[in-house]
Protein backbone atom coordinates (compact mmCIF):
# COMPACT_ATOMS: atom_id res chain seq x y z
CA UNK A 1 0.00 0.00 0.00
CA UNK A 2 1.27 3.43 -0.84
CA UNK A 3 0.20 6.45 1.10
CA UNK A 4 -0.68 9.49 -1.01
CA UNK A 5 0.24 12.69 0.73
CA UNK A 6 0.97 13.42 4.39
CA UNK A 7 -1.97 13.38 6.74
CA UNK A 8 -3.10 12.38 10.15
CA UNK A 9 -6.35 10.65 10.65
CA UNK A 10 -8.12 7.36 10.11
CA UNK A 11 -10.17 5.87 7.41
CA UNK A 12 -13.80 6.77 7.53
CA UNK A 13 -15.12 4.08 5.30
CA UNK A 14 -14.41 1.78 2.42
CA UNK A 15 -15.58 2.74 -1.03
CA UNK A 16 -13.42 0.68 -3.37
CA UNK A 17 -13.58 0.68 -7.09
CA UNK A 18 -11.47 -0.99 -9.79
CA UNK A 19 -9.39 1.35 -11.86
CA UNK A 20 -9.46 0.79 -15.60
CA UNK A 21 -5.90 1.62 -16.62
CA UNK A 22 -3.92 0.67 -13.47
CA UNK A 23 -3.93 -2.49 -11.40
CA UNK A 24 -4.89 -0.66 -8.25
CA UNK A 25 -7.95 -0.02 -6.09
CA UNK A 26 -8.82 3.25 -4.35
CA UNK A 27 -10.01 2.34 -0.90
CA UNK A 28 -12.43 4.71 0.77
CA UNK A 29 -11.49 8.20 1.79
CA UNK A 30 -9.57 9.61 4.68
CA UNK A 31 -9.18 13.08 6.16
CA UNK A 32 -6.32 14.25 3.98
CA UNK A 33 -5.83 11.81 1.13
CA UNK A 34 -6.72 8.43 -0.35
CA UNK A 35 -4.87 5.12 0.09
CA UNK A 36 -3.87 3.30 -3.08
CA UNK A 37 -3.37 -0.48 -3.10
CA UNK A 38 -1.37 -2.00 -6.01
CA UNK A 39 -2.52 -5.55 -6.81
CA UNK A 40 -1.14 -8.13 -9.24
CA UNK A 41 -3.75 -10.59 -10.50
CA UNK A 42 -2.72 -14.18 -9.52
CA UNK A 43 -4.42 -17.44 -10.45
CA UNK A 44 -5.11 -19.45 -7.31
CA UNK A 45 -4.83 -22.72 -9.23
CA UNK A 46 -1.36 -21.88 -10.55
CA UNK A 47 -0.19 -20.82 -7.10
CA UNK A 48 -1.51 -24.03 -5.53
CA UNK A 49 0.20 -26.17 -8.22
CA UNK A 50 3.52 -24.40 -7.69
CA UNK A 51 3.33 -24.96 -3.94
CA UNK A 52 2.43 -28.63 -4.35
CA UNK A 53 5.22 -29.25 -6.92
CA UNK A 54 7.75 -27.73 -4.56
CA UNK A 55 6.43 -29.90 -1.78
CA UNK A 56 6.60 -33.10 -3.89
CA UNK A 57 10.05 -32.31 -5.27
CA UNK A 58 11.34 -31.86 -1.73
CA UNK A 59 9.76 -35.15 -0.68
CA UNK A 60 11.23 -37.02 -3.70
CA UNK A 61 14.64 -35.52 -3.06
CA UNK A 62 14.45 -36.57 0.56
CA UNK A 63 13.40 -40.13 -0.39
CA UNK A 64 16.22 -40.48 -2.98
CA UNK A 65 18.75 -39.28 -0.40
CA UNK A 66 17.45 -41.86 2.09
CA UNK A 67 17.72 -44.66 -0.52
CA UNK A 68 21.25 -43.59 -1.45
CA UNK A 69 22.29 -43.51 2.21
CA UNK A 70 20.84 -46.98 2.75
CA UNK A 71 22.66 -48.33 -0.34
CA UNK A 72 25.95 -46.84 0.83
CA UNK A 73 25.47 -48.25 4.31
CA UNK A 74 24.83 -51.79 2.96
CA UNK A 75 28.12 -53.69 2.60
CA UNK A 76 28.06 -56.63 0.09
CA UNK A 77 28.74 -59.98 1.66
CA UNK A 78 31.45 -62.38 0.54
CA UNK A 79 28.81 -64.56 -1.12
CA UNK A 80 27.59 -61.59 -3.15
CA UNK A 81 31.15 -60.78 -4.23
CA UNK A 82 31.74 -64.41 -5.23
CA UNK A 83 28.52 -64.41 -7.25
CA UNK A 84 29.59 -61.23 -9.05
CA UNK A 85 33.02 -62.70 -9.81
CA UNK A 86 31.47 -65.93 -11.06
CA UNK A 87 29.08 -64.04 -13.33
CA UNK A 88 31.95 -62.00 -14.74
CA UNK A 89 34.10 -65.11 -15.27
CA UNK A 90 31.18 -66.96 -16.87
CA UNK A 91 30.60 -64.04 -19.22
CA UNK A 92 34.28 -64.01 -20.25
CA UNK A 93 34.31 -67.78 -20.81
CA UNK A 94 31.13 -67.59 -22.88
CA UNK A 95 32.68 -64.89 -25.04
CA UNK A 96 35.89 -66.88 -25.54
CA UNK A 97 33.91 -70.02 -26.35
CA UNK A 98 31.88 -68.13 -28.94
CA UNK A 99 35.07 -66.81 -30.57
CA UNK A 100 36.60 -70.31 -30.55
CA UNK A 101 33.48 -71.77 -32.16
CA UNK A 102 33.56 -69.13 -34.89
CA UNK A 103 37.24 -69.88 -35.55
CA UNK A 104 36.49 -73.59 -35.57
CA UNK A 105 33.70 -73.15 -38.13
CA UNK A 106 36.01 -71.03 -40.30
CA UNK A 107 38.75 -73.68 -40.18
CA UNK A 108 36.25 -76.39 -41.04
CA UNK A 109 35.13 -74.42 -44.09
CA UNK A 110 38.76 -74.04 -45.16
CA UNK A 111 39.34 -77.75 -44.67
CA UNK A 112 36.28 -78.54 -46.73
CA UNK A 113 37.61 -76.37 -49.58
CA UNK A 114 40.94 -78.22 -49.43
CA UNK A 115 39.12 -81.55 -49.41
CA UNK A 116 37.18 -80.60 -52.53
CA UNK A 117 40.44 -79.62 -54.24
CA UNK A 118 41.98 -83.00 -53.30
CA UNK A 119 38.98 -84.86 -54.70
CA UNK A 120 39.28 -82.99 -57.99
CA UNK A 121 43.01 -83.69 -58.14
CA UNK A 122 42.44 -87.38 -57.46
CA UNK A 123 39.90 -87.53 -60.28
CA UNK A 124 42.38 -85.96 -62.70
CA UNK A 125 45.06 -88.44 -61.64
CA UNK A 126 42.69 -91.34 -62.17
CA UNK A 127 41.91 -90.16 -65.72
CA UNK A 128 45.62 -89.78 -66.52
CA UNK A 129 46.34 -93.23 -65.11
CA UNK A 130 43.73 -94.74 -67.46
CA UNK A 131 45.29 -92.98 -70.45
CA UNK A 132 48.74 -94.25 -69.51
CA UNK A 133 47.32 -97.75 -69.16
CA UNK A 134 46.00 -97.52 -72.72
CA UNK A 135 49.40 -96.37 -74.00
CA UNK A 136 51.09 -99.27 -72.20
CA UNK A 137 48.80 -101.72 -73.94
CA UNK A 138 49.69 -100.25 -77.32
CA UNK A 139 53.40 -100.27 -76.53
CA UNK A 140 53.26 -103.89 -75.38
CA UNK A 141 51.48 -104.86 -78.59
CA UNK A 142 54.21 -103.19 -80.65
CA UNK A 143 56.96 -104.93 -78.69
CA UNK A 144 55.36 -108.33 -79.35
CA UNK A 145 55.72 -107.83 -83.08
CA UNK A 146 59.00 -108.55 -84.87
CA UNK A 147 61.34 -105.61 -84.36
CA UNK A 148 62.13 -104.08 -87.75
CA UNK A 149 65.69 -104.00 -88.95
CA UNK A 150 67.47 -100.77 -88.27
CA UNK A 151 65.49 -99.94 -85.11
CA UNK A 152 67.64 -97.88 -82.81
CA UNK A 153 68.38 -98.69 -79.22
CA UNK A 154 68.23 -96.56 -76.07
CA UNK A 155 70.19 -97.75 -73.03
CA UNK A 156 70.66 -101.16 -74.62
CA UNK A 157 66.96 -101.60 -75.44
CA UNK A 158 65.14 -101.21 -78.68
CA UNK A 159 63.06 -98.08 -78.78
CA UNK A 160 59.79 -100.02 -78.55
CA UNK A 161 60.88 -101.79 -75.38
CA UNK A 162 62.28 -98.56 -73.95
CA UNK A 163 58.94 -96.80 -74.54
CA UNK A 164 57.09 -99.62 -72.79
CA UNK A 165 59.37 -99.51 -69.73
CA UNK A 166 59.03 -95.71 -69.45
CA UNK A 167 55.25 -95.88 -69.62
CA UNK A 168 55.19 -98.57 -66.93
CA UNK A 169 57.39 -96.40 -64.69
CA UNK A 170 55.04 -93.43 -65.13
CA UNK A 171 52.08 -95.63 -64.28
CA UNK A 172 53.67 -96.77 -61.02
CA UNK A 173 54.44 -93.19 -60.08
CA UNK A 174 50.85 -92.24 -60.83
CA UNK A 175 49.56 -94.98 -58.54
CA UNK A 176 51.76 -93.72 -55.69
CA UNK A 177 50.40 -90.20 -56.15
CA UNK A 178 46.84 -91.49 -55.97
CA UNK A 179 47.72 -93.28 -52.71
CA UNK A 180 49.17 -90.06 -51.32
CA UNK A 181 45.94 -88.24 -52.15
CA UNK A 182 43.96 -90.95 -50.38
CA UNK A 183 46.20 -90.59 -47.36
CA UNK A 184 45.90 -86.80 -47.34
CA UNK A 185 42.13 -86.90 -47.71
CA UNK A 186 40.23 -86.45 -44.44
CA UNK A 187 37.68 -88.94 -43.21
CA UNK A 188 34.72 -88.41 -40.91
CA UNK A 189 35.27 -90.24 -37.61
CA UNK A 190 32.29 -90.19 -35.19
CA UNK A 191 32.92 -90.19 -31.43
CA UNK A 192 30.43 -90.73 -28.60
CA UNK A 193 30.30 -90.42 -24.82
CA UNK A 194 27.36 -91.58 -22.68
CA UNK A 195 26.73 -90.42 -19.13
CA UNK A 196 25.61 -87.53 -16.95
CA UNK A 197 27.78 -84.46 -17.52
CA UNK A 198 27.58 -80.76 -18.30
CA UNK A 199 30.64 -80.45 -20.54
CA UNK A 200 32.38 -83.15 -22.59
CA UNK A 201 35.47 -82.48 -24.69
CA UNK A 202 37.79 -84.82 -26.57
CA UNK A 203 41.49 -83.98 -26.60
CA UNK A 204 44.17 -85.80 -28.55
CA UNK A 205 47.21 -85.94 -30.75
CA UNK A 206 45.11 -85.06 -33.80
CA UNK A 207 45.75 -81.36 -33.00
CA UNK A 208 48.73 -81.68 -30.66
CA UNK A 209 46.56 -81.74 -27.50
CA UNK A 210 45.88 -78.02 -27.98
CA UNK A 211 42.18 -77.21 -28.45
CA UNK A 212 40.28 -80.44 -28.81
CA UNK A 213 36.66 -80.77 -29.86
CA UNK A 214 33.48 -80.22 -27.84
CA UNK A 215 30.80 -82.92 -27.97
CA UNK A 216 27.16 -81.91 -28.40
CA UNK A 217 24.65 -83.37 -25.90
CA UNK A 218 21.52 -85.31 -26.83
CA UNK A 219 19.26 -85.75 -23.81
CA UNK A 220 17.13 -88.83 -23.21
CA UNK A 221 15.09 -90.06 -20.24
CA UNK A 222 17.79 -91.99 -18.41
CA UNK A 223 21.14 -90.68 -19.68
CA UNK A 224 22.79 -88.18 -22.00
CA UNK A 225 24.70 -89.01 -25.17
CA UNK A 226 27.41 -86.60 -26.32
CA UNK A 227 28.65 -86.85 -29.89
CA UNK A 228 30.91 -85.17 -32.41
CA UNK A 229 32.59 -85.93 -35.73
CA UNK A 230 36.31 -85.51 -36.27
CA UNK A 231 37.89 -85.02 -39.70
CA UNK A 232 41.07 -87.11 -39.63
CA UNK A 233 43.52 -88.58 -42.08
CA UNK A 234 44.60 -92.18 -42.04
CA UNK A 235 46.74 -93.05 -39.07
CA UNK A 236 46.85 -93.80 -35.34
CA UNK A 237 45.80 -91.19 -32.80
CA UNK A 238 45.81 -91.03 -29.00
CA UNK A 239 42.78 -89.33 -27.46
CA UNK A 240 41.25 -88.74 -24.02
CA UNK A 241 37.94 -87.31 -22.82
CA UNK A 242 37.72 -84.26 -20.55
CA UNK A 243 34.47 -84.59 -18.57
CA UNK A 244 33.55 -81.54 -16.45
CA UNK A 245 37.26 -80.78 -16.02
CA UNK A 246 38.34 -84.36 -15.22
CA UNK A 247 40.13 -86.84 -17.50
CA UNK A 248 38.36 -90.08 -18.43
CA UNK A 249 38.95 -93.01 -20.78
CA UNK A 250 36.26 -94.44 -23.01
CA UNK A 251 35.56 -98.14 -22.33
CA UNK A 252 34.47 -98.56 -25.95
CA UNK A 253 37.93 -97.80 -27.40
CA UNK A 254 41.27 -99.63 -26.95
CA UNK A 255 43.87 -98.09 -24.69
CA UNK A 256 47.61 -97.52 -24.91
CA UNK A 257 50.15 -96.62 -22.24
CA UNK A 258 49.97 -96.91 -18.47
CA UNK A 259 49.10 -94.72 -15.52
CA UNK A 260 48.69 -91.03 -16.17
CA UNK A 261 49.93 -91.47 -19.77
CA UNK A 262 47.23 -94.02 -20.57
CA UNK A 263 45.06 -92.87 -23.47
CA UNK A 264 42.47 -94.25 -25.84
CA UNK A 265 43.78 -95.42 -29.21
CA UNK A 266 41.90 -94.26 -32.30
CA UNK A 267 42.83 -95.93 -35.60
CA UNK A 268 41.69 -94.36 -38.88
CA UNK A 269 42.08 -96.65 -41.86
Amino acid sequence: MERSGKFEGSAIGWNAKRLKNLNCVSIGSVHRGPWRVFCTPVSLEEEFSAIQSKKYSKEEESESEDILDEALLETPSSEDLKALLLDSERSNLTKKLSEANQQNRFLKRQIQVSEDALVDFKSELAVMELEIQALISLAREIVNYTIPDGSRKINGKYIQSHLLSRLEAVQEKMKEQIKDVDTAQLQEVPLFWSGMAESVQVMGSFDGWSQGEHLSPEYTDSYTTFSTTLLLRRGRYEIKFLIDGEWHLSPELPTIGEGFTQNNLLIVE
Side-chain angles (χ1 to χ4, degrees), residues 2-10 30-36:
E2 180 181 323
R3 178 178 170 183
S4 177
K6 296 180 179 180
F7 68 93
E8 294 180 358
S10 60
V30 293
H31 288 292
R32 292 189 179 184
W35 287 85
R36 289 183 298 174

Side-chain angles (χ1 to χ4, degrees), residues 64-75:
S64 62
E65 290 178 355
D66 294 339
I67 294 173
L68 181 59
D69 293 338
E70 293 178 359
L72 292 176
L73 291 175
E74 291 181 356
T75 302

Side-chain angles (χ1 to χ4, degrees), residues 1 8 41 54 88 92 99 101 103 136 140 198 208 214 223-224 235 262:
M1 299 177 66
E8 294 180 358
K54 291 180 180 179
S88 177
N92 292 333
E99 293 175 353
N101 289 334
Q103 182 68 14
I136 289 175
R140 186 174 288 113
E198 294 184 359
H214 287 273
Y223 60 91
T224 306
Q262 188 177 20

Side-chain angles (χ1 to χ4, degrees), residues 19-89:
L19 298 181
K20 295 181 179 179
N21 297 327
L22 298 175
N23 292 326
C24 64
V25 178
S26 178
I27 305 176
S29 63
V30 293
H31 288 292
R32 292 189 179 184
W35 287 85
R36 289 183 298 174
V37 180
F38 293 91
C39 305
T40 300
V42 177
S43 173
L44 293 179
E45 295 180 355
E46 294 178 357
E47 185 68 18
F48 179 75
S49 300
I51 294 173
Q52 290 295 104
S53 63
K54 291 180 180 179
K55 180 180 178 181
Y56 291 150
S57 62
K58 289 182 179 180
E59 291 178 353
E60 293 176 355
E61 183 178 358
S62 177
E63 291 178 357
S64 62
E65 290 178 355
D66 294 339
I67 294 173
L68 181 59
D69 293 338
E70 293 178 359
L72 292 176
L73 291 175
E74 291 181 356
T75 302
S77 63
S78 59
E79 296 296 331
D80 294 336
L81 293 176
K82 288 180 180 180
L84 292 174
L85 291 175
L86 288 175
D87 291 340
S88 177
E89 189 67 20

Side-chain angles (χ1 to χ4, degrees), residues 206-221:
F206 53 85
D207 64 352
W209 300 88
S210 58
Q211 295 183 353
E213 186 80 14
H214 287 273
L215 279 69
S216 301
E218 296 179 2
Y219 299 99
T220 58
D221 295 334

Side-chain angles (χ1 to χ4, degrees), residues 45 69 71 85 106 111 123 125 138 229 260-261:
E45 295 180 355
D69 293 338
L85 291 175
F106 172 75
I111 290 173
S123 300
L125 288 177
L138 293 175
T229 301
F260 182 75
T261 61

Side-chain angles (χ1 to χ4, degrees), residues 107-124 181 184-186 188 231 233:
L107 293 176
K108 284 185 176 180
R109 288 195 296 268
Q110 295 296 107
I111 290 173
Q112 188 61 44
V113 172
S114 300
E115 286 297 304
D116 294 339
L118 283 175
V119 171
D120 294 339
F121 182 60
K122 181 181 177 181
S123 300
E124 294 176 359
V181 172
Q185 191 172 0
L186 298 176
E188 293 184 355
L231 295 176
R233 296 181 174 89

